[in-house]
Amino acid sequence: MPDSIEKISKKLKKEMKKKRYRHTMGVRYTAQALAMRFGEDISRAGYAGVLHDCAKNLSDEKMLSECRKFGVSCTETEQKQVYLLHAKLGAKYAACLYGIDDLEILSAIRWHTTGKPGMSKLEKILYIADYIEPNRKAIPGLEEIRHMAFQNLDETMYLILRNTLEYLRENTKEAVRDIEEHTIAAYEFYRMVHETSKEDNCME
């Protein structure tokens, strides 16, 4: 059995910078609120939220070292953008250091940064909570996304992924091929869900 969420929170508070801890708590409570709204287990959402960034306080060198230690594979893109590895490594930490054996919680942590096609309800809740939690600075489209988050998870995924890809394409020097492939695949998946939903609504 893992420690209680409160005990894990106290441990992380000692390890994280103040800003990262405040974000973590924001994600935890937002994930739990979304869980209540959409009928997901509140405790599972809480564990996913509190542990989602448990590996993010590492330097690039330390993160790569820990990935080798825990057998976490690194893609070419991840070696260029090491921060992406905190999700994979965080899932390993959650299992090995914090006693989480719920595979869906671990998967939610694993995919909370890039997303992927066909995410589970808990995976979507954590991904969305990480984007909309109250401590996030205001960015274009955020209020619309926050409003949609409590109405439709799939539509919210589409809006976030669209915003994310637009930002990456406008603000990164690397070609689109260097944008994490899972994010592109996730966007295409939820774009199709969005388009199908629009067509269904037009036929009603």
Side-chain angles (χ1 to χ4, degrees):
M1 281 288 292
D3 287 334
S4 70
I5 295 176
E6 298 306 328
K7 190 170 183 179
I8 291 173
S9 297
K10 288 179 181 177
K11 181 179 180 181
L12 290 173
K13 187 175 185 179
K14 296 176 183 177
E15 298 175 355
M16 290 178 166
K17 292 181 179 179
K18 186 179 293 186
K19 185 177 179 181
R20 176 63 47 197
Y21 182 74
R22 187 167 62 247
H23 164 71
T24 294
M25 290 299 100
V27 174
R28 170 193 167 181
Y29 293 123
T30 304
Q32 290 179 311
L34 288 168
M36 286 189 283
R37 165 64 180 86
F38 291 103
E40 179 56 81
D41 185 89
I42 299 171
S43 177
R44 295 169 84 210
Y47 275 109
V50 83
L51 286 167
H52 82 285
D53 273 354
C54 65
K56 201 166 185 178
N57 60 325
L58 306 177
S59 66
D60 286 0
E61 183 180 352
K62 180 66 173 177
M63 195 171 296
L64 289 168
S65 168
E66 288 291 277
C67 284
R68 289 191 291 271
K69 175 182 174 182
F70 283 90
V72 175
S73 61
C74 304
T75 66
E76 185 178 341
T77 300
E78 289 165 341
Q79 289 175 24
K80 292 179 181 178
Q81 302 176 60
V82 179
Y83 72 91
L84 290 171
L85 287 167
H86 82 275
K88 285 183 179 178
L89 184 59
K92 286 286 187 180
Y93 275 11
C96 299
L97 305 182
Y98 294 93
I100 302 296
D101 58 8
D102 185 315
L103 296 181
E104 227 183 310
I105 294 174
L106 298 177
S107 186
I109 296 169
R110 162 67 182 89
W111 295 107
H112 84 268
T113 299
T114 63
K116 66 171 183 173
M119 295 166 76
S120 72
K121 188 190 295 184
L122 182 60
E123 288 168 344
K124 287 183 282 192
I125 282 173
L126 181 60
Y127 184 93
I128 292 167
D130 187 34
Y131 195 89
I132 70 168
E133 62 94 2
N135 300 299
R136 285 291 193 192
K137 66 178 182 180
I139 57 173
L142 183 56
E143 286 309 307
E144 176 193 4
I145 290 169
R146 282 175 169 157
H147 180 70
M148 180 58 68
F150 288 86
Q151 299 181 56
N152 187 308
L153 293 176
D154 287 341
E155 184 67 13
T156 306
M157 289 297 302
Y158 164 70
L159 294 173
I160 292 175
L161 288 160
R162 185 186 66 184
N163 273 18
T164 299
L165 286 178
E166 286 176 357
Y167 173 83
L168 291 173
R169 285 166 175 156
E170 290 173 4
N171 294 278
T172 56
K173 296 178 181 178
E174 298 291 337
V176 173
R177 62 181 170 80
D178 287 325
I179 295 174
E180 177 55 63
E181 62 179 332
H182 298 298
T183 300
I184 296 172
Y187 169 71
E188 292 299 333
F189 179 89
Y190 286 102
R191 183 180 65 81
M192 289 299 297
V193 173
H194 168 76
E195 294 296 335
T196 300
S197 177
K198 277 204 314 185
E199 290 173 5
D200 289 345
N201 288 336
C202 287
M203 294 175 66
E204 289 179 359

